[in-house]
Amino acid sequence: MSILVIAEHDNKSLKGATLNTVAAAAKIGGEVHLLVAGSGCGDAAAQAAKVAGVGKVLQADAPHYDAQLAENIAALIVANAGGYSHILAPASTGGKNVMPRVAALLDVAQISDIISVESADTFVRPIYAGNALATVKSADAVKVITVRTTGFDPVAAEGGNAAIESLAAGPDLALSKLLGRELTKSERPELGAAGIIVSGGRGLGSSENYHKLLEPLADKLGAALGASRAAVDAGYVPNDYQVGQTGKIVAPQVYFAIGISGAIQHLAGMKDSKIIVAINKDPEAPIFQVADYGLVGDLFQLVPELTSAM
Amino acid sequence: MGSQARLEKHKESKNSHRSIALKILVPVKRVVDYNVKVRVKADGSGVDLANVKMSMNPFDEIAVEEAVRLKEAGVATEVVAVSCGVAQCQETLRTAMAIGADRGILVETDAELQPLAVAKLLKALCDKEQPTVVICGKQAIDDDANQTGQMLAALMGWPQATFASKVALADGKATVTREIDGGLETLEMNLPAVVTTDLRLNEPRYATLPNIMKAKKKPLETVKPADLSIDVAPRLATIKVSEPAKRSAGVIVADVAQLVEKLKNEAKVI
């Protein structure tokens, strides 16, 4: 039994989510191969070869894999799916985009967002915004899976010494093309991988307040910035800051929920954090039901105070 | 050019504009309402859906709204809403028609439908209806699968643009801005294509009473999966459904100094 893991990378380096996905593959058991598809992705493939527990790296290098377009990447995975019992990718926007396409082309179900491996064909995944956990068993010959990274501790990035095998590129289907990307430029850690997250909600009142109050605190803590859906809807910050059922799922060491009431859709995205700190003026806010430490009061006064105390 | 000739030319261009049919198909799912906190059944067989308020999946509402706006802008000529599931999905279709969809198709079945089966049903309808664009919600808030749109695109051999925050259709191409980890990207793709909606695409309107009344008179066709020759048997068996571990409330601290002290010495996280 061999397992194919789709690496997430930017051609130069491997994204951390790949390590959690390899960990899930290791739990299933069997030889793990990492597919690195990109353009000029030799550096990423070299890093992939060092990941602990990886048996082989498959590198598909072609200009039409640069943009990670779902049509081309899915076709490549399907063309190389033979012999694999499982195909895994992180449940990032990249994996969520490509993997259902792979599953449909293979005529199998996809098992989305697994948080636990029970056996080679049985997995646990959250449903209803994490208010229930479903244990599902797949009857398909190939299991196509996306992995919720917070469910699995990453394997070591170093220590492996896998061979890198070059894969023949498939044709450019030319169904779509990338016109451009606008990535949020930030010196801060990535939301999905941060040890500390400072997250803000509607209680901040404006985009200006969000940045004025939360950025100094995040800077002091070396934290990533996050937000509730309400704050995104109100236009305080871009959507890629969103933590919750339909945004990012995070589990940092400390999660600061500032001016966030704690709707179930938000809790779904952060309730596995080790320590939750809530600052809110409403003592009845549901966020206090899950917070390890709650501070009731005016965030406009408390947050600057906290920033200077750090 | 004389005024008569200009008028003729104007009519002609208007007609030629009209003659380009651009149909949008919008799949809509009936799910537990966004505000309901579901309870897991004591026997672990699923969640309790008895007497629970059901609504249209919020991301599908955004999809209907986008399709209707494209029609109102003169880009699309027809909006067809589709729902797969029990007879009560008719209500979901009526909601879509109250927002502005022209007609509805119900693929009626009491069977459990998983994303691959729904994608196959939608493919059969796409083969028949020949839409130029299918706009789906990115994910349903019940099974949180986030699969159907991508699967449909794969089965049709069409391009896809998931997690859309902006959609423009012109000259046989779709230009779609997508929400991705770390920011946004813009793709251009051939039509027909599948688009799935993210939450910032638009803010769906409230259906007005006159439009709700009008929706009751719009055509609604019902078909069965067998009529479309689709096998909808589930591929995944749900062994059990359980409640996640509950997080218990901690302590309310008196002030910032106590909070910092606890984080440093008790939790030892900073």
Side-chain angles (χ1 to χ4, degrees):
Chain A
M1 194 165 68
S2 307
I3 300 172
L4 183 65
V5 172
I6 315 304
E8 189 152 301
H9 65 90
D10 59 6
N11 292 319
K12 299 278 164 271
S13 62
L14 214 55
K15 292 271 169 73
T18 306
L19 304 176
N20 306 76
T21 310
V22 170
K27 285 241 168 96
I28 295 167
E31 183 162 321
V32 177
H33 296 172
L34 257 182
L35 172 66
V36 179
S39 176
C41 57
D43 290 348
Q47 279 189 17
K50 290 189 196 138
V51 172
V54 171
K56 186 161 73 175
V57 172
L58 305 171
Q59 184 186 351
D61 213 313
H64 59 274
Y65 296 136
D66 191 36
Q68 301 292 322
L69 297 169
E71 301 84 13
N72 284 337
I73 299 288
L76 175 74
I77 295 169
V78 170
N80 291 283
Y84 291 107
S85 57
H86 298 73
I87 306 175
L88 275 65
S92 57
T93 53
K96 286 174 176 172
N97 188 37
V98 170
M99 295 301 267
R101 204 167 169 110
V102 171
L105 292 173
L106 294 172
D107 193 28
V108 300
Q110 174 179 291
I111 308 146
S112 295
D113 247 328
I114 65 162
I115 55 168
S116 156
V117 173
E118 302 295 289
S119 73
D121 64 4
T122 306
F123 309 91
V124 179
R125 57 177 305 265
I127 53 174
Y128 292 95
N131 286 302
L133 301 177
T135 304
V136 296
K137 186 180 165 111
S138 164
D140 287 317
V142 186
K143 279 78 174 162
V144 173
I145 293 168
T146 63
V147 175
R148 181 172 289 194
T149 51
T150 55
F152 300 88
D153 290 330
V155 298
E158 304 277 337
N161 185 22
I164 301 176
E165 196 177 289
S166 185
L167 271 192
D172 181 1
L173 299 175
L175 288 169
S176 63
K177 68 176 184 199
L178 176 67
L179 298 183
R181 284 204 178 118
E182 256 177 78
L183 299 180
T184 309
K185 284 183 195 73
S186 172
E187 300 296 307
R188 297 200 177 83
E190 234 180 282
L191 193 49
I196 303 178
I197 293 173
V198 174
S199 205
R202 259 302 247 292
L204 285 152
S206 71
S207 176
E208 198 194 345
N209 289 339
Y210 177 98
H211 294 287
K212 195 176 71 193
L213 286 168
L214 301 195
E215 278 176 2
L217 179 60
D219 286 344
K220 271 233 171 140
L221 294 165
L225 283 172
S228 67
R229 175 171 172 172
V232 172
D233 277 349
Y236 301 174
V237 287
N239 188 59
D240 58 296
Y241 281 51
Q242 193 204 155
V243 172
Q245 179 185 17
T246 61
K248 290 201 176 63
I249 312 290
V250 299
Q253 289 290 304
V254 196
Y255 187 91
F256 289 88
I258 297 170
I260 292 177
S261 63
I264 52 173
Q265 291 81 10
H266 185 74
L267 301 184
M270 44 65 84
K271 67 182 165 56
D272 292 327
S273 305
K274 184 161 180 265
I275 297 289
I276 296 173
V277 177
I279 302 179
N280 204 300
K281 67 174 181 214
D282 175 12
E284 302 299 319
I287 192 74
F288 290 119
Q289 303 293 318
V290 300
D292 298 278
Y293 304 117
L295 191 49
V296 180
D298 179 11
L299 64 90
F300 294 95
Q301 182 201 325
L302 294 171
V303 174
E305 217 179 292
L306 180 61
T307 304
S308 45
M310 289 294 175
Chain B
M1 202 189 286
S3 65
Q4 185 61 33
R6 213 178 292 141
L7 192 66
E8 287 301 315
K9 181 124 182 121
H10 177 71
K11 261 193 197 159
E12 203 177 277
S13 75
K14 212 174 167 188
N15 285 341
S16 70
H17 180 72
R18 289 232 162 164
S19 67
I20 304 168
L22 195 156
K23 192 191 284 187
I24 303 179
L25 197 84
V26 186
V28 293
K29 186 176 185 183
R30 179 176 180 266
V31 298
V32 168
D33 186 83
Y34 193 74
N35 291 310
V36 172
K37 191 170 190 313
V38 297
R39 252 185 286 270
V40 173
K41 283 189 204 165
D43 65 359
S45 64
V47 296
D48 193 357
L49 297 181
N51 304 316
V52 164
K53 186 185 176 201
M54 305 294 281
S55 299
M56 188 191 297
N57 180 44
F59 285 100
D60 302 349
E61 250 184 289
I62 296 173
V64 176
E65 175 68 34
E66 192 66 15
V68 170
R69 286 188 192 185
L70 285 164
K71 192 186 168 195
E72 287 167 347
V75 176
T77 48
E78 191 185 17
V79 177
V80 182
V82 178
S83 193
C84 303
V86 295
Q88 291 92 320
C89 294
Q90 286 187 25
E91 295 160 20
T92 317
L93 288 169
R94 293 289 175 206
T95 305
M97 291 189 272
I99 296 171
D102 298 292
R103 59 188 170 95
I105 304 173
L106 169 62
V107 184
E108 192 184 335
T109 173
D110 291 333
E112 181 199 343
L113 292 176
Q114 293 180 351
L116 182 63
V118 175
K120 287 179 178 179
L121 293 171
L122 294 174
K123 178 187 187 296
L125 290 177
C126 284
D127 289 341
K128 192 166 152 244
E129 293 282 340
Q130 301 279 317
T132 306
V133 186
V134 177
I135 307 182
C136 311
K138 75 165 180 179
Q139 137 183 16
I141 60 164
D142 51 2
D143 62 14
D144 284 330
N146 195 332
Q147 299 174 10
T148 307
Q150 297 90 312
M151 287 182 155
L152 174 64
L155 297 176
M156 297 303 293
W158 291 354
Q160 67 184 50
T162 51
F163 327 141
S165 65
K166 198 174 165 198
V167 177
L169 304 175
D171 308 323
K173 304 255 183 202
T175 307
V176 182
T177 303
R178 306 179 54 231
E179 309 269 12
I180 57 168
D181 292 337
L184 297 170
E185 74 173 24
T186 303
L187 300 180
E188 182 188 86
M189 59 194 54
N190 300 340
L191 293 174
V194 175
V195 173
T196 79
T197 61
D198 216 318
L199 71 97
R200 290 197 304 175
L201 182 58
N202 61 50
E203 211 170 296
R205 71 195 69 182
Y206 286 101
T208 60
L209 189 59
N211 285 338
I212 292 170
M213 299 312 287
K214 243 191 264 171
K216 291 184 178 170
K217 297 203 178 72
K218 290 183 180 178
L220 197 163
E221 178 194 347
T222 299
V223 295
K224 304 268 182 191
D227 302 336
L228 302 169
S229 310
I230 301 296
D231 172 15
V232 296
R235 303 295 187 83
L236 299 178
T238 300
I239 309 289
K240 68 168 183 200
V241 174
S242 57
E243 224 165 305
K246 279 240 172 3
R247 222 192 148 98
S248 47
V251 295
I252 297 291
V253 294
D255 52 27
V256 165
Q258 197 189 356
L259 173 62
V260 173
E261 189 273 321
K262 293 239 182 231
L263 287 173
K264 276 192 177 140
N265 303 323
E266 191 178 271
K268 297 185 171 57
V269 286
I270 57 168

